[in-house]
Amino acid sequence: MAAYRSAAGFQRVLLAFKHVCLKQRCGVIICRYSTVYDPNEKTFDKILIANRGEIACRVIKTCKKMGIKTVAVHSDVDSSAVHVKMADEAVCVGPAPTSKSYLNMDAIMNAVKQTGAQAVHPGYGFLSENKEFAKRLAAEGVTFIGPDTHAIQAMGDKIESKLIAKAAKVNTIPGFDGVVKDAEEAVKIAGEIGYPVMIKASAGGGGKGMRISWNDEETREGFRFSSQEAASSFGDDRLLIEKFIDNPRHIEIQVLADKHGNALWLNERECSIQRRNQKVVEEAPSTFLDPDTRRAMGEQAVSLAKAVKYSSAGTVEFLVDSQKNFYFLEMNTRLQVEHPITECITGLDLVHQMIRIAKGYKLQQKQSDIPINGWAIESRVYAEDPYKSFGLPSIGRLSQYQEPLNLPNVRVDSGIQEGSDISIYYDPMISKLVTYGKTREEALKKMEEALDNYVIRGVTHNIPLLREIIVHPRFVSGDISTKFLPEVYPDGFKGHMLTAGERRELLATAAALYVAVEIDGEKVEVSGEWNLASALLSMCNRFSVSCAQFKLRVLSKLAAYLSKHMPEKIPEDTSSILRSPMPGSVVAVSVKPGDNVAEGQEICVIEAMKMQNSMTAAKTAKVKSVHCKAGDTVGEGDLLVELE
C-alpha cells in the first residue's frame, strides 16, 4: 500500500480533479448577449476607457464589434496589463496608487486630448460616478458614456437620492435624512431610529464605508471607520444612518433609459450572497420574486429613473424582507459588476446600449420585448484567502492560469492572464465566472463543472468557497439572505469536509499516479486519460465524489514510517504578538512601547484594497515593541506589535 500524508505546509502535489462519470451535458442555449450593430448607425470613432482590469476589457470587446477604436489608460504597474494590450492605443496616467493614476482627472483629461477620443466610458468604480469628471468632459465637448451630471449628483448622494425616491413614491427604509456630523450625533440618531442601524458613506458604494451597529460603542467605532474608508475611497467622508433590516435579501433591478424619456426595467438580479457587504455570487432571475413583485419593483425603479431624467444603464438596489416587502437602498449610476447575468437572460449587450444612448439614439426595445430567457449565475473569483473572514486579499503572480472556456454555456470576464500580478493597489478580483442554462439547475451544474475546471496558481483564491456555496442545500433550495455566509459557517469557512468515500477517492487519485492502490483494506479502482503535464486530471471512479483542491504528499512506505518520528512544529503563541493577516498598508498605529492595552483594544489599522481592518490586542498586557508605522506597506504574516 502506498503511504500518504495530508497536511498544510508540506511539499505537495496539487490535484485539481474532476468527476466525469456524468456524461450528459446540457445543450447549448442562445442566451449570450449579442451586439446587434448597425454600421449605418453612426456613434463614435474612438472611445477612451477610464478604467482597468476586466471591465476595461469588457468595454473594449464591444467597441471592437462596433468598429470603434479604443484607448486604454494605465498606471505604471499596469503597463503590460491585458486591457492595455487589447486597446488600439494606451496612455500611462501615473504611478500605482489610484489617487495618482485612475483617479487622476488631470492625467485622464490629458489622455483624452492627446488621443482625440470623442467619448469616455468609465466602467465602474474609480471616476464612474464622479460628477466633476463628467462636467470636465462636457466642457471639452467629450461625451461621457453614462447619465448626465444631474442624475449622478442626485443618485450618487444617498441622502438626496432617498428624498427623491420618496417623492417618486418608491418604498424607502426608515432613517435619518441628513449628514451625520460626528460620532456622538451618530449615537443619538441611532438611539432614535432603534438598533440595529446601518452606517454608510453618503457618496459610496461597493460595500466601502459601510458598518452595521448594534449598540452605542459599535456606532462610535463604525462612524470612525466608515468616515475614514469613505474619504479614502470616494474623497467624501459624509455619512448617513438608517434602520438595518435584519436578514434581508439584496435584489436589484437593471434599468435602461434614453435621452427621449423612454425607460425599461431589465428584470432583477439576486445578490444576497455577500461578505463584508460585498457580493460574491449573483444570479438572474431571483428564485424569490413572483411576477407581481418583480413588476412592482421594476416599475418603481423606472419611476425613480424618470424622476431624475436618467439616461444610460443603471441599477436600482432594494432590500427585500421575508414577506416580499422591498425598500430602496441606492441607485448605481453606472454599469454594475454583475451586469453579465442580465445580458445572458435578456440577450442585450448593455455596453452597446450605453454607447447608443450616449450618442442620442432612442431605445430599440419596449418593455414587452424584454425576456427572461433561462437562468444565469455569476461567481466572483477573487485573489483572496476564503479561510480568513471569508476572504482577505492575497497578492502575488499568477504562475498558472487557465479559464474553463472549453465548456459550453460558460462566460469568463477577466482582465488578467498567466503571469499577471495581483497587487495591493487594486481590487483583488481575478474574473467573473458566468454560467447559464435553460433552468437554474442547469446553470448550477455548469457552474460546478466550470469551477472544477478553473486553474489558478500563484495566489490564494476563493474557488473552494464558491464551490461550497453553489452546492450547499440552502443555496440550491433558494433559502438565502445577506446573512447566508455567517449563518452557514458561524465559525468561518473551513473548506470541504471529506466523507469516508471521498477521502478514499482522493487518496487513491494521488497514489494512483505512482501505483495501483488499496486503502483501508478496500481496493479503489481509478481510470482515466492522464496527462501529467496538465493542471487538471480527469478521472472516472466508482465513487461519486465532490470536486475540490487539496494539498497532498505521496510518500514511500519507509518515508511514511520515518515521518512519524519527526518533531511537530509548535504553533506560535499569537496572544503575545500581532501579525498582519493580509498584505496592505498601515493607516494608523494607536500604541507605543510601554503602553498598557486591554484585550480587544485597537492597536493599529491595516488597509487593503481600500478596506480598513482594525487589529486588536488578544490579551491585556504591556506593549513590548512596535514594528510598523503609519504609511508602511506590510505583507501577510509580518510582525506588527509584540506584547510582554
Side-chain angles (χ1 to χ4, degrees), residues 5 56 106 108 132 163 184 190 206 224 255 263 269 300 316 324 336 399 437 439 489 512 524 528 615:
R5 189 159 180 171
D106 290 339
I108 293 175
E132 295 304 322
L163 295 174
E184 291 312 310
R224 180 163 65 91
V255 296
R269 295 185 289 254
Q300 286 197 18
V316 181
K324 297 183 181 176
Q336 287 281 89
S399 57
T439 64
Y489 308 106
V524 180
M615 305 289 104

Side-chain angles (χ1 to χ4, degrees), residues 26 29 38 192 272 296 318 323-324 378 419 503 517:
C26 57
I29 61 175
D38 179 358
E192 292 171 352
S272 297
F318 294 94
Q323 304 304 309
K324 297 183 181 176
E378 175 178 293
R503 172 182 167 275
V517 296

Side-chain angles (χ1 to χ4, degrees), residues 70-86:
T70 55
V71 179
V73 295
H74 63 89
S75 65
D76 53 9
V77 297
D78 272 347
S79 59
S80 298
V82 175
H83 76 283
V84 173
K85 296 175 181 178
M86 285 181 64

Side-chain angles (χ1 to χ4, degrees), residues 57-68:
C57 296
R58 164 69 188 89
V59 174
I60 291 171
K61 287 177 183 177
T62 286
C63 288
K64 286 183 179 296
K65 292 176 183 177
M66 297 177 69
I68 300 171

Side-chain angles (χ1 to χ4, degrees), residues 129 155-159 200-205 208 230 233-240 330:
E129 294 176 284
M155 293 294 99
D157 187 307
K158 289 184 173 63
I159 297 170
K200 56 171 59 172
S202 176
K208 296 181 176 68
S233 298
F234 315 112
D236 185 341
D237 65 357
R238 293 176 304 144
L239 301 177
L240 60 84
E330 63 182 348

